[in-house]
Each structure stands twice: as structure tokens, then as C-alpha cells.
Amino acid sequence: TFKVVNPMGIQVKLNYNIKYQEIEGFGASGAWWAQDVGGWSNISEIMDFLYESKKGIGLNIYRYNIGAGYPCLTDDPWRSTQTIEVSPGLYDMNRDKNSINAMKEAVKHGATVELFSVSPPARLTKSGYSSGEASGKSNLSEENEDEYAKYLADITQLFFEKGIPVKYLSPINEPQWNWKSGQEGCHYEPGQVLDLSRKVTLELKKRKLPVKLSIDESGKWNDRDYTLSMYRTVMQDDLLSKAIDHFAVHSYWSNADDKREAAIYFSQFNNMLPLHQTEWCEMKNGNAKGMDAALVLAKTIHEDMTILSVSTWEAWLAVAKGDYRDGLVYVNTATEEYETSKRLWSFGNYSRFIRPGYRRIKAEIEDNNLLVSAYVSPKSDKTVIVFVNPSKEE
């Protein structure tokens, strides 16, 4: 039942009888970089560092952005993605061939795929842009919801028929923010989140696709309208409650107290669904190559795993250009060279060793200056303990 280990002379007590969440995996998004880097000659090397479990960190989830297309009000071409839609009902995967190539490199290593959409295609938006509506209100009119649901189901079906292991489809991304310009994005009122999710569910059901819905990818854990109340409403909805096997949220703007508030709220429900953390980066200028950034990521994962008991943890950008702390691998677009970051390897201390099917168990440490979490394999023949030293001292 109990096991005491003493790494570095510090006592850690493990209780194998107290088990928490089962781990589904770790992943990252191909949004906004893969349409460029996915066509580079060294893309397989980059994806090895991300998805191979000996050379790299062994991620097993790849998030593919269903691009909303152009026009998009942004100064950075990496902040929008071409749609594979040629015209309504007609699709050409070559229109986003680089992104699809990057996804296939992840799949080679056994990754499953989550399709997610940041905005409806520009042809369906009120503004005519995939970057939001000038007032910051919803950019999708009610009369276009059915068409958008069909668009998403069409692409999901196409990818599935092409042999892509699509596990989830996410139709909405951070609906609470007032998207106006600068990148793909679309605001939705809470009622519209539910209406659109139902329509997408019915499209998937009609086509008998073995793909689950992922909702609602709220931007923060303790948002009352888009996270907490939404969870209650979804679980009381006869259609949606059967269409999902998890509830997806992002860890932006959420400290440990915010996460505790959310965890207490979720705990009141019987048969609580697993929680997925599907997007996070550090909202800060600069880059994440150094050890300070690595420790921020490690502490965030620790909080999400131990306070919220998330089953998946997924980073925002797998690859970045270097001007923001949002990447795991950093690239030079002029030379097509890349370098790994310390943040990549701090992520790997979780993803490389805690494999799908592992369960978190109770772990207590006598040194309050260290963070610790522990995980046991399905056959209970292996235990992984992850330590985080959040201080500036080695």
C-alpha cells in the first residue's frame, strides 16, 4: 500500500490505494506554424523531438487546426490558416498540405488527432473575416450555424476516410473573448455555444462517425458562464451529455486558487467527466528557451494534474518563431533552422514517462520547496515520480 523513497535524501510517501485520474496523454497544437514549417525538409526531425519517445518527448496527441481561411485581419501570416474548402461541399487537402504533412508525421509515431476550429470559414461570418467581428460580438449568424456544422463534419469525415486517426472534433475555441482582429477567432454567447454544439453532434451522429465532440474549450478554469455553468448545462443536456467523454478547458489566466475553485465546483457532480487541458502557453513576450520558462510550464502542469486531475495536458504551439513564450521548438523562418527549448524537455519529464493508461496516485513530500506527483502503470509494475524544483537554486 505504502512506499517510501528517498531521492536526494528527501522522503516521499506514496499511497497506491489512493488513485486519481487515468492519463490519456499529452499533446500540442499545429496551429499557425505547420502551414509553413510542415513543408520544410527537416520537418520529420522536428516532429521526432516532439512525438518520438526516445529521441524526443513522446507526445501522443496532435491538435490540427481546421483553418478558417481568408480574408483575416492580421499583420502576421502565421496567425491565420488556409481552409481546405474550395467551395461549399468541395474540398482539396492540398490547400493545407504542409499542415497535413506535419500532422501525418505525428501520426507516424502513434499520435491520435484532435480537429479544432478557431473560427467559421470567412464565407460564413458576419464580418466576412475569419478574425472576428468589429464589435467583438458573435461573428456567426444563427442562419449559418447548420452550414458551419456541415462544414466541420465534412472535413472530419474526409480526414477519417483518408486514414487519419481522428478522435475528437472541437467546433469552438475560447468563446468568451471578444475577437476583433489580429488572428483567427470568433466570439459566441453561451446559448450559441450550446446550440452549435448540438448541431455538430447531430451531423456527426448522422454520418455515424466514431468521433467524439470536444467542448467548450473555455479560456480559463473559473469562468462562471463559459466553464462552470456550461459544465452543469452540458451534463443536463440529453444530447450533449452523451456526445462527450470529457470536458475541455484552457489554463490561461488561471492561478492555483482559480483551479481549486473550479475543482471544488466540478467535484459536486456524480460521475464527473474527465477534464482535458487542451491549450496553454505563457502569455509573455520573449521566448521559452531558458530554464525559467521551463519551470513555469512544469509548475503549470503540476497544478493541473494535482489540483484539477486533468487526463490530458496539451501545449498551445509545438513550434514558434521566437518572439513569444509559446513554443516548445523554436525556428528561424529565414534559414529554416530549429532548436529545442528547455521548456520542451521539462514537458518531456511528464509526457515521455507517464504513458496513456497510467493513474496518478497520492504522493506526499516532506520538503515543501519541491513539487511532486506520482503515477503508476496499468499493471502496477512501474511507478513514475516527477519532481519540480521551482526555485532559482539548482
Side-chain angles (χ1 to χ4, degrees), residues 16 19-26 60 305 309-312 349-361 373-386:
Y16 287 81
K19 291 185 170 72
Y20 303 99
Q21 77 270 31
E22 180 176 329
I23 305 303
E24 187 170 321
F26 301 88
N60 68 303
M305 299 292 263
S309 295
V310 300
S311 296
T312 75
N349 276 284
Y350 292 93
S351 60
R352 191 175 186 178
F353 304 101
I354 305 163
R355 305 307 298 171
Y358 276 55
R359 292 280 300 273
R360 184 169 70 87
I361 60 173
S373 57
Y375 310 82
V376 63
S377 64
K379 294 181 179 179
S380 299
D381 59 345
K382 184 180 289 186
T383 302
V384 173
I385 310 171
V386 183

Side-chain angles (χ1 to χ4, degrees), residues 28-216:
S29 163
W32 298 348
W33 61 268
Q35 69 265 26
D36 184 359
V37 181
W40 293 6
S41 61
N42 55 9
I43 182 60
S44 62
E45 297 175 23
I46 294 171
M47 298 307 284
D48 281 351
F49 277 113
L50 292 160
Y51 285 89
E52 208 274 328
S53 58
K54 290 187 172 60
K55 177 182 178 180
I57 66 169
L59 300 179
N60 68 303
I61 300 168
Y62 186 89
R63 281 170 62 79
Y64 173 86
N65 177 27
I66 300 174
Y70 310 116
C72 180
L73 294 175
T74 178
D75 295 328
D76 185 350
W78 269 32
R79 287 184 169 265
S80 61
T81 305
Q82 180 62 279
T83 172
I84 65 170
E85 181 188 67
V86 179
S87 59
L90 181 63
Y91 303 92
D92 179 3
M93 294 176 74
N94 284 325
R95 288 165 64 91
D96 197 26
K97 63 181 180 180
N98 289 347
S99 295
I100 291 171
N101 184 47
M103 173 180 61
K104 287 181 176 179
E105 288 290 334
V107 169
K108 283 181 187 177
H109 293 299
T112 57
V113 173
E114 297 175 355
L115 303 179
F116 74 103
S117 178
V118 181
S119 165
R123 71 175 178 88
L124 295 179
T125 65
K126 294 177 183 177
S127 66
Y129 294 95
S130 59
S131 47
E133 204 273 331
S135 68
K137 300 302 181 184
S138 175
N139 203 21
L140 178 67
S141 58
E142 185 177 347
E143 59 266 24
N144 284 339
E145 288 179 5
D146 289 324
E147 183 68 11
Y148 180 39
K150 181 179 182 299
Y151 166 86
L152 292 172
D154 280 352
I155 292 175
T156 303
Q157 183 172 350
L158 175 63
F159 276 41
F160 193 81
E161 290 174 349
K162 293 292 184 180
I164 304 298
V166 180
K167 188 170 185 178
Y168 296 115
L169 168 63
S170 171
I172 294 164
N173 193 272
E174 297 182 1
Q176 67 262 64
W177 310 139
N178 295 329
W179 301 106
K180 298 180 181 181
S181 64
Q183 65 175 68
E184 291 176 318
C186 185
H187 174 80
Y188 300 91
E189 291 298 314
Q192 192 176 23
V193 170
L194 298 166
D195 290 342
L196 180 60
S197 297
R198 292 187 190 103
K199 289 173 180 178
V200 173
T201 297
L202 291 172
E203 279 289 339
L204 293 175
K205 194 173 181 180
K206 182 172 69 175
R207 299 163 193 243
K208 298 181 179 179
L209 291 170
V211 176
K212 286 283 189 179
L213 193 69
S214 184
I215 50 176
D216 70 327

Side-chain angles (χ1 to χ4, degrees), residues 272-284:
M272 191 187 102
L273 283 176
L275 300 173
H276 287 194
Q277 195 294 118
T278 50
E279 190 180 308
W280 177 87
C281 75
E282 191 180 358
M283 295 290 201
K284 194 173 181 180

